[in-house]
Amino acid sequence: MYAQVSQGADDLADPDLAAPGTADPAGPDWSGLVGVRSRIGVWRALLDRPLTSYYLVLGITTLLLGLGLVMVQSTASVADLSAGLSPYSDFKKQLLGAAIGVPLMWVAARSQPRLFRACAYPLLAVAIVGLGLTLIHGVGVSENGAARWITIGGQQIQPSEIAKLALVVWGADLLARKDRLGQLADWRHMLVPLMPGTAVLCLLVMTGDDLGTTFILLIIFLALLWVIGTPGRVFGGMLILMALAMLLMIVSAKYRLGRLVGFLDQQSSATGANWQGTQGKYALGSGGIFGVGLGASGQKWGYVPESTSDFIFAIIGEELGLVGTLCVTALYGGLAFAGLRIARRVPDVFARLAATGITAWIVVEAVVNIGAVIGVLPITGVPLPLVSAGLSSLLSTLVALGMLMSFARLEPGAQEALAARGPGWPLRVLSWLGLSKRRR
């Protein structure tokens, strides 16, 4: 009797145990809140799975890469026709980058950190030699007065994009070795030789008049120092030093100073220094909520400078509207979440440092690009990762994301989850074809 009364009282007191579709006439109906709570619990359980980071990086990379191919075709076809080329000329280059970069990303995703560490110094040497070649007259290729490219196999390569990947791998390997030797108790070991190496890369990049890439290199440097636990006063000193260096580089060039002045006074000179920013805002504003339609942009017909690279986000806003731009922003936010989750969960010091550096590089690049288009940051010429046209940028970003996926496989429980999943699709295809068995 007592058990029945207690059970009845508990049923009345706990809204979770009430019959579905019924409500207490004397109190509020909690069924909606219970449903929201259960859905939140389901999403939280999905995020807690070992391979969540891996699939987030893979899915977001696929979506952004697909969007980039579509938008490059949409924007570059106009410039190609104006130059008397095939409307698919730039699209073919971007498609070539994807065709090469996706297999490289797949290989990187299935490689171990020791392979990346073995490539640290060779990759740094390639970046320095490539940047040096851009300074040689007749070897470096100049566009708009800046020599930032070299030609290899008929394709223009930008060594500064390789420098980003090289700094991440070399810097993470260097600090991981010092941590294993117990040398990071002295803050000077945190800066030497990492700081001089970063300075050499930045000086070579700035020789090609590329302030945006220099800024990203400094962001990678600061991210590595932050993760390794640099003392606050040293980190603050580095911030002040780099802010002064950036300010000096801005005022040393008249056009960069004009961009900064125009950014601070955006209501003046709409046809001068602020032309690009003004036209970018016109493109965003004309898109409305849902956009004018894919391929129907009017601003890409010569009104928005660099519409295929630095200002491709403005064309996205015009053709896909506010909904499209919010989706793109959310994708980069998801990439930031996944990258920082990987960096927090992996046990390996090198993987933690490299994951943070890669995440800071790609996410900050996206923030700076989008911020410049919407007018909250000065224009620096930074591409939108995976979306802007550019063979070198696409290849280096895909390899970096492959490394991030490799680190995600090191998270606790990830290897067990992969083993439980069974063989991957390449092995399954070979099995279907009867080629996976060894011939006797």
Side-chain angles (χ1 to χ4, degrees):
M1 179 68 179
Y2 177 78
Q4 293 177 354
V5 173
S6 299
Q7 180 66 35
D10 290 340
D11 289 345
L12 291 175
D14 190 350
D16 291 354
L17 299 177
T22 61
D24 184 2
D29 183 6
W30 298 97
S31 58
L33 181 59
V34 173
V36 171
R37 244 183 233 175
S38 64
R39 284 193 292 270
I40 292 176
V42 171
W43 283 107
R44 185 177 297 174
L46 287 174
L47 291 177
D48 286 339
R49 291 184 176 181
L51 292 177
T52 295
S53 304
Y54 179 87
Y55 287 119
L56 273 176
V57 175
L58 177 60
I60 292 172
T61 300
T62 303
L63 291 174
L64 288 175
L65 182 61
L67 174 67
L69 291 172
V70 171
M71 293 309 302
V72 166
Q73 170 58 25
S74 175
T75 56
S77 58
V78 175
D80 291 338
L81 288 172
S82 301
L85 302 173
S86 166
Y88 302 101
S89 180
D90 281 342
F91 173 74
K92 289 179 180 178
K93 295 180 182 178
Q94 195 76 357
L95 188 61
L96 174 65
I100 299 174
V102 169
L104 289 176
M105 182 183 72
W106 184 84
V107 171
R110 279 152 180 79
S111 300
Q112 294 297 319
R114 62 177 177 270
L115 176 62
F116 306 136
R117 300 185 70 169
C119 296
Y121 283 90
L123 193 60
L124 181 66
V126 168
I128 293 175
V129 170
L131 290 170
L133 289 176
T134 62
L135 308 179
I136 301 175
H137 182 70
V139 178
V141 179
S142 299
E143 289 186 11
N144 299 324
R148 303 175 186 172
W149 298 266
I150 57 177
T151 301
I152 299 177
Q155 297 294 332
Q156 290 186 2
I157 304 297
Q158 191 171 2
S160 59
E161 294 295 335
I162 303 175
K164 299 174 187 176
L165 183 62
L167 181 58
V168 168
V169 179
W170 174 72
D173 175 67
L174 178 69
L175 293 177
R177 291 178 187 274
K178 286 178 174 287
D179 179 72
R180 183 169 55 85
L181 296 174
Q183 297 177 342
L184 294 182
D186 186 353
W187 62 269
R188 287 171 293 188
H189 280 286
M190 298 179 180
L191 300 180
V192 180
L194 179 61
M195 185 176 177
T198 304
V200 169
L201 289 176
C202 290
L203 287 174
L204 289 172
V205 170
M206 275 308 300
T207 306
D209 199 20
D210 193 349
L211 181 63
T213 300
T214 302
F215 176 72
I216 298 300
L217 290 174
L218 294 177
I219 289 295
I220 294 172
F221 172 72
L222 290 175
L224 294 174
L225 289 183
W226 178 269
V227 174
I228 207 62
T230 305
R233 64 181 183 277
V234 178
F235 192 83
M238 289 294 101
L239 282 176
I240 295 173
L241 179 62
M242 290 177 186
L244 292 175
M246 291 292 295
L247 183 61
L248 179 62
M249 287 184 283
I250 290 173
V251 300
S252 63
K254 185 177 180 181
Y255 82 94
R256 286 198 291 263
L257 182 60
R259 280 183 176 181
L260 180 61
V261 173
F263 168 73
L264 297 175
D265 186 15
Q266 298 189 20
Q267 300 303 317
S268 65
S269 185
T271 59
N274 291 332
W275 168 260
Q276 187 176 22
T278 301
Q279 295 301 319
K281 294 185 186 69
Y282 284 162
L284 286 171
S286 61
I289 301 297
F290 299 104
V292 298
L294 195 61
S297 167
Q299 292 296 110
K300 68 183 179 184
W301 290 86
Y303 293 99
V304 178
E306 306 297 335
S307 61
T308 63
S309 54
D310 302 344
F311 264 63
I312 198 169
F313 187 77
I315 308 303
I316 293 175
E318 184 181 7
E319 295 189 351
L320 303 181
L322 178 64
V323 174
T325 57
L326 290 179
C327 289
V328 172
T329 305
L331 288 176
Y332 287 112
L335 192 59
F337 168 79
L340 294 178
R341 184 178 187 268
I342 293 169
R344 181 176 59 86
R345 290 167 60 91
V346 291
D348 184 64
V349 176
F350 168 80
R352 186 181 306 122
L353 288 164
T356 306
I358 291 170
T359 304
W361 154 21
I362 296 175
V363 174
V364 171
E365 211 167 56
V367 169
V368 171
N369 179 279
I370 295 173
V373 173
I374 65 179
V376 298
L377 291 174
I379 298 173
T380 57
V382 172
L384 190 62
L386 297 176
V387 179
S388 294
L391 182 63
S392 303
S393 175
L394 182 61
L395 288 175
S396 60
T397 304
L398 285 174
V399 172
L401 289 169
M403 292 176 57
L404 203 58
M405 293 166 61
S406 171
F407 301 147
R409 295 161 66 97
L410 301 177
E411 291 186 26
Q415 293 297 330
E416 292 77 3
L418 288 170
R421 190 184 61 176
W425 65 267
L427 292 179
R428 289 198 297 268
V429 171
L430 291 176
S431 177
W432 295 336
L433 297 176
L435 301 176
S436 61
K437 297 179 180 180
R438 295 181 180 178
R439 295 181 179 178
R440 296 179 179 177

